[in-house]
Amino acid sequence: APDTVKQALFDHQALFEKYPPTGGYPELKEAIGNWIEKRYGVKLDPASQILPTNGSREALFALTQVLIDPTQDPVVVMPNPFYQIYEGAAKLAGAQPYFCPMTAETGFKPDYSSIPEDVLKRTQLLFVCSPNNPTGTVLSLEDWRKLFDLSDKHGFVIGSDECYSEIYFDEDN
Ligand SMILES: Cc1ncc(COP(=O)(O)O)c(C=O)c1O
């Protein structure tokens, strides 16, 4: 497969001369939608629910600018250590970053129960990275359920950075 990808890139190199449409190519969005359905069993509408970006960093940054309402003293919660774009995006959107430590004591996962109530009340966006960079930790279904409950209770959006979703043990299965 890697050779096929390389060959396809080579055969279509002339297309690199121009920018894609801002909303992405419909055929690419369709292909992404098919992959998501095959991988996660979720059917999305490619036209309104999928937006191709130049790397996940662009998507993480843009999402933050769109979601944050800077007039409401907002907080963006992120794991620590973390990939820097979460912090930069939060600051540029006018939000205060809140770092949720991942240490040996917390099993290298963010311990959301340690976040003070007044911070949760102000939280508009919470970044999750699973599998995590740099700890490699993967959240369990139970972790996700707790997070969904927290998001429902406080009305924040979960920004799920899944750029490493295809790296896992036992890749043959
Ligand atoms: C956790 C995490 N998110 C996002 C990115 C951004 O990756 P890219 O913009 O290349 O997709 C990286 C890159 O190292 C990363 O480690």
Side-chain angles (χ1 to χ4, degrees), residues 22-45:
T22 310
Y25 285 108
E27 56 270 38
L28 174 60
K29 298 191 333 174
E30 193 83 32
I32 293 170
N34 290 340
W35 182 84
I36 291 175
E37 189 175 0
K38 199 170 126 199
R39 174 72 167 88
Y40 297 110
V42 177
K43 184 128 189 69
L44 297 177
D45 171 29

Side-chain angles (χ1 to χ4, degrees), residues 64-75 93-95 122 124-125:
T64 311
Q65 309 315 308
V66 169
L67 282 175
I68 296 300
D69 176 357
T71 67
Q72 300 301 310
D73 197 18
V75 168
R122 291 166 53 209
Q124 293 183 3
L125 171 63

Side-chain angles (χ1 to χ4, degrees), residues 51 56 63 127 160:
L51 183 63
S56 55
L63 173 83
F127 279 115
S160 183

Side-chain angles (χ1 to χ4, degrees), residues 25 30 52 54 70 87 90 98-99 115 130 136 143 156-157 167 169:
Y25 285 108
E30 193 83 32
N54 196 5
E87 182 184 25
Y98 180 87
F99 304 107
I115 307 175
S130 173
D143 295 327
F156 59 74
V157 171
I167 299 177
F169 295 112

Side-chain angles (χ1 to χ4, degrees), residues 54-57 60 83 86 129 133 161 163-164:
N54 196 5
S56 55
R57 183 171 26 185
L60 294 162
Y83 181 63
Y86 309 149
C129 182
N133 178 17
D161 180 358
C163 66
Y164 299 114

